[in-house]
Amino acid sequence: MESLWTLRTYEQFRQDFPRWLINVRNPVELWMQQPSFIISQIFCIVGALLCLGHALYRGGRWPFLWLGSVISGMLIEGCVYFSPYDPFFYYQAFWAVSKLRLKCRWSEHIAIGMLVVLFDIPFDMISIKFLHWTLHETEPMLSERIYSVPWTLLLFFAATTFTFSYFFHNLRAWMDHSTHNRWAAGPIRTELMASVGAASLSLSVGSAFVLAMYYPLHTVLGVPHSVIVIGIFLSVFTIFWKFDRKSNRDSPSR
């Protein structure tokens, strides 16, 4: 057996290094094979960086929101690469909903989840159409689709974003009772814990929500995926309308 301390050449190291871990390819070759994928990646990365610039400019909790969305994207994608989609979609959804001045916090969480789904639908439609990625046809949860996008994937994004919004605001509120402005930054340690905690908990709790709704309705009762997702979305839209339809935008938040 060759000693671990034996000096190895770079060529030997390159041959033995697992290519599945880190694999560098010629970008020109990738462009020739799949130019639309490169364009979409550049678009999302530039968008994510613009969101970062906006977050740093606005200050407060916005940079921590951007950080939390990046961590959430890495957890969802399996911690294998920087995913520009989540900071691109999450940040815009939070910013847009903040301008609605919703007074019911549950309505705010619901609106963010639904808005991320609206952002994601055309992106997934195009990406699946142009083979930026493929989804297993044999996976039962991905079998029913709308314009090539699995119904359960839309429900997953809505649930994880809803829980991310809930934990991002409430974790900070539970740890720091001195800051009353929801977008004013508290202690850095508290904000970092809230960002990391929201990203971590949203994936597990959101997935649990999806399975809790999916298993009894589809596996036990045989309800189609499309009916489940449409029914859930209509229900949350009804809750959104019920809680915020008569709210006074100038009154204190509930």
Side-chain angles (χ1 to χ4, degrees), residues 8 53 60 102-103 252:
R8 301 178 61 82
L102 301 175
K103 296 305 175 182

Side-chain angles (χ1 to χ4, degrees), residues 62-72 164 191-192 195-196 199:
W62 293 102
F64 297 101
L65 169 65
W66 191 91
L67 175 63
S69 65
V70 171
I71 298 174
S72 177
F164 179 88
E191 296 294 350
L192 289 176
S195 299
V196 176

Side-chain angles (χ1 to χ4, degrees), residues 19 22-31 33-34:
R19 298 190 64 184
I22 299 178
N23 188 13
V24 180
R25 298 182 61 183
N26 188 349
V28 177
E29 177 185 348
L30 294 176
W31 172 263
Q33 294 179 355
Q34 188 62 283

